[in-house]
Amino acid sequence: MAVRKKYISITVEKLLNQYNIEAPPVNIEELAGALGITIQYEPADDKLSGFLIRDLKNHRAVIGVNSSHPRNRKRFTIAHEIGHFLLHESEKVYMDGINNIFRVHHRNEDSSKGSNVDEKEANLFAAELLMPKKFLAKNLDDCNTLNLLDEERLNKLADSYQVSHQALTYRLAYL
């Protein structure tokens, strides 16, 4: 199965419009709340970034986030799990780690490698949500050119989106 790039782009655009998100940084915690998702922060092993548990019967969901991670990584984890919530509705649990009881999908160090279509989709969703193409286009229009080797400018731009330098660089290269 291929990554549904167009569907993800349309889904993110609808969210941005529906919740009147017009400039960075996207308030990802507020958006999760508006979608009816509770966020729980707890310390965990560094390999565990986060998880999504969905209670289909009661129409509730919880995103667990490793509170030990840096703020930008936590924001990406929340956006990633919102991606699972919206894109992969039939699954009940997306979780870091190994669990023999549930079918488990997880956000961990392997998630960024993109070896699983669901993980690729959730990563793309998170990147599009936190760094929307239309916002970045405006930033790039404002500065005329952007050198991907200009660390200072990239760091300022990453700070304005509250994402890591690496996430921003990947996003710009992807676009």
Side-chain angles (χ1 to χ4, degrees):
M1 182 169 119
V3 173
R4 300 170 293 167
K5 294 176 185 177
K6 185 159 183 81
Y7 177 75
I8 291 167
S9 180
I10 290 167
T11 301
V12 168
E13 186 66 28
K14 285 180 182 177
L15 275 178
L16 296 173
N17 291 333
Q18 180 178 354
Y19 294 101
N20 299 314
I21 301 169
E22 299 174 350
V26 172
N27 187 332
I28 200 67
E29 294 91 350
E30 187 177 289
L31 179 61
L35 293 169
I37 303 169
T38 302
I39 300 174
Q40 182 71 41
Y41 296 90
E42 295 291 335
D45 181 275
D46 192 53
K47 291 182 180 181
L48 175 67
S49 297
F51 60 87
L52 169 69
I53 297 177
R54 184 190 320 259
D55 180 347
L56 298 175
K57 183 179 178 183
N58 296 308
H59 306 288
R60 297 182 340 179
V62 174
I63 291 175
V65 180
N66 186 341
S67 63
S68 302
H69 285 170
R71 172 144 173 73
N72 291 342
R73 185 165 178 190
K74 290 186 275 193
R75 285 175 42 77
F76 195 90
T77 295
I78 294 166
H80 176 97
E81 299 304 340
I82 290 172
H84 282 306
F85 178 78
L86 295 173
L87 302 172
H88 311 125
E89 295 178 12
S90 64
E91 296 297 325
K92 292 181 184 177
V93 179
Y94 285 88
M95 185 171 148
D96 278 321
I98 297 172
N99 184 327
N100 294 325
I101 299 170
F102 298 102
R103 177 176 172 204
V104 176
H105 294 271
H106 52 281
R107 165 109 181 99
N108 63 14
E109 58 192 16
D110 293 331
S111 298
S112 62
K113 295 176 185 173
S115 58
N116 173 295
V117 172
D118 285 359
E119 292 304 312
K120 288 179 185 179
E121 288 187 341
N123 283 335
L124 178 58
F125 180 93
E128 292 216 12
L129 183 59
L130 295 174
M131 299 165 279
K133 182 179 179 178
K134 67 181 182 181
F135 296 0
L136 288 171
K138 182 176 180 346
N139 290 124
L140 296 179
D141 283 348
D142 290 347
C143 70
N144 294 324
T145 63
L146 180 64
N147 179 350
L148 291 178
L149 299 176
D150 185 343
E151 297 287 326
E152 184 179 339
R153 185 172 280 169
L154 285 174
N155 284 334
K156 285 181 182 178
L157 192 56
D159 288 347
S160 72
Y161 283 83
Q162 295 181 6
V163 297
S164 70
H165 176 106
Q166 182 181 27
L168 177 67
T169 302
Y170 284 150
R171 179 72 173 142
L172 291 172
Y174 175 83
L175 294 174

